[in-house]
């Protein structure tokens, strides 16, 4: 087990940060958690020390990710409430095998497994459809799929409707950085907005109101159109599993379906 990193930030400061991220007043949170706003004020200023149960209650009401819950616990002087294993640990072998089966079962369509920072930690062979278009220097581990998507030597030059697709990725990451406890997301967001500005795109643009935003690629063989879904594990009790997700790509037209079945089927 890897313990959560203690940054030296007080429990009260962390609690205030999560409350403000959720755009709640002390009164709002107090009503939700059945705790007086006065007691919450004392907790945030350090005048009162929370019990273990109080930390877990407030973290649940604030919908804090497991990594953030561990940080709250440790800042309050308690042991982490949730384990954090590497996918390579023996305890995770069956989970790893199951995730690999999901990736392989998605063939002939691309699918990637990513961690909480959007680093690729697994993929099926159909992902070559995308990585073949990317400068190999960007594919040195750890491969960050959002960086690869918007980097000028990545997928960006091959994406039709790049302004809209970039707006979608940046806005999604901005929402995630606001809600997640994963470190590094804000730096990644700054990096992606920099790529947008360098390309003459508005990093604060909002995607058009569509049911599904397709990824249209200018591929050497033919134009391809895909859409994707992102799936997470249900009710994870480990920090690593709480943060990983599978992004699965699907063909959005018959021509793309036929191409992927012929190449990866």
């Amino acid at each position: 087990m890897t313990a959560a990193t203690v940054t030296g930030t007080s429990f009260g400061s962390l609690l205030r940060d999560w409350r403000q991220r959720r755009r709640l007043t002390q009164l709002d949170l107090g009503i939700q958690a059945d705790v007086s706003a006065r007691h919450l004020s004392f907790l945030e200023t350090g005048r009162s020390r929370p019990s273990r149960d109080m930390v877990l209650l407030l973290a649940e009401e604030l919908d804090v990710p497991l990594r953030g819950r561990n940080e709250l616990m440790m800042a309050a002087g308690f042991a982490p409430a949730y384990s954090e294993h590497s996918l390579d640990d023996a305890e995770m072998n069956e989970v790893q095998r199951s995730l690999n089966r999901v990736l392989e079962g998605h063939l002939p369509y691309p699918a990637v497994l990513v961690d909480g920072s959007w680093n690729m930690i697994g993929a099926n062979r159909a992902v070559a459809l995308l990585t073949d278009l990317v400068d190999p220097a960007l594919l040195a581990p750890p491969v960050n799929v959002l960086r690869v998507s918007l980097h000028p030597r990545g997928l960006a030059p091959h994406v039709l409707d790049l302004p809209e697709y970039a707006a979608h990725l940046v806005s999604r990451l901005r929402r995630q950085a606001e809600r997640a406890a994963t470190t590094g997301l804000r730096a990644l967001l700054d990096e992606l907005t920099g790529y947008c500005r360098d390309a003459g795109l508005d990093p604060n643009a909002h995607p058009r109101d569509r049911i599904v935003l397709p990824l249209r690629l200018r591929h050497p063989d033919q134009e391809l159109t895909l859409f994707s879904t992102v799936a997470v594990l249900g009710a994870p009790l480990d920090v690593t599993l709480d943060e990983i997700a599978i992004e699965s790509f699907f063909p959005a037209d018959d021509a793309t379906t036929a191409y992927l079945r012929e190449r990866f089927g």
Side-chain angles (χ1 to χ4, degrees):
M1 181 180 74
T2 303
T5 301
V6 179
T7 62
T9 304
S10 69
F11 171 80
S13 296
L14 288 174
L15 177 61
R16 183 185 307 109
D17 178 62
W18 282 110
R19 177 178 61 77
Q20 291 174 345
R21 289 197 199 194
R22 300 303 185 249
R23 295 174 172 80
L24 296 174
T25 65
Q26 290 176 344
L27 179 60
D28 294 332
L29 178 57
I31 291 172
Q32 286 184 202
D34 196 21
V35 177
S36 74
R38 178 182 176 85
H39 185 51
L40 288 174
S41 176
F42 282 10
L43 291 175
E44 290 188 2
T45 59
R47 294 180 65 183
S48 293
R49 182 176 181 273
S51 67
R52 185 179 188 277
D53 288 343
M54 177 62 69
V55 177
L56 292 174
L57 169 65
L58 295 176
E60 178 69 23
E61 292 300 327
L62 289 168
D63 192 26
V64 178
L66 300 193
R67 182 178 299 280
R69 298 187 190 203
N70 277 353
E71 291 173 351
L72 284 166
M73 291 291 291
M74 296 178 73
F78 302 105
Y82 301 94
S83 64
E84 182 179 357
H85 293 89
S86 165
L87 283 178
D88 296 328
D89 290 350
E91 296 92 334
M92 304 283 270
N93 283 348
E94 188 53 46
V95 174
Q96 178 75 288
R97 284 193 290 268
S98 296
L99 292 171
N100 287 336
R101 283 195 288 268
V102 173
L103 295 176
E104 294 305 307
H106 194 63
L107 286 170
Y109 310 135
V112 295
L113 182 67
V114 297
D115 66 15
S117 298
W118 288 93
N119 294 315
M120 187 168 65
I121 53 178
N124 64 18
R125 58 187 176 86
V127 169
L129 175 78
L130 307 174
T131 56
D132 284 352
L133 303 175
V134 174
D135 184 333
L138 295 175
L139 301 178
V143 179
N144 188 280
V145 299
L146 295 186
R147 176 181 297 117
V148 164
S149 296
L150 294 186
H151 195 283
R153 300 195 312 274
L155 283 180
H158 307 278
V159 176
L160 300 166
D161 301 331
L162 178 61
E164 187 173 8
Y165 193 69
H168 161 68
L169 293 185
V170 170
S171 63
R172 181 170 70 177
L173 180 58
R174 184 175 288 115
R175 291 193 303 271
Q176 183 185 359
E178 179 67 23
R179 298 192 63 82
T182 308
T183 58
L185 289 181
R186 295 183 188 277
L188 180 61
L189 178 61
D190 290 342
E191 182 180 347
L192 296 191
T193 56
Y195 295 148
C196 290
R197 292 191 182 97
D198 291 344
L201 306 177
D202 179 4
N204 298 312
H206 295 285
R208 282 194 298 163
D209 186 14
R210 294 196 189 194
I211 297 175
V212 175
L213 175 64
L215 170 60
R216 297 174 57 221
L217 287 174
R218 189 184 296 105
H219 193 274
D221 294 331
Q222 65 183 70
E223 183 180 317
L224 301 171
T225 306
L226 305 159
F227 69 91
S228 70
T229 63
V230 177
V232 298
L233 297 179
L237 296 177
D238 181 273
V239 172
T240 299
L241 297 183
D242 185 48
E243 293 178 345
I244 65 174
I246 296 177
E247 183 162 21
S248 304
F249 292 85
F250 297 85
D253 56 37
D254 291 341
T256 303
T257 301
Y259 177 82
L260 290 172
R261 286 178 176 174
E262 180 179 356
R263 182 172 174 185
F264 300 108

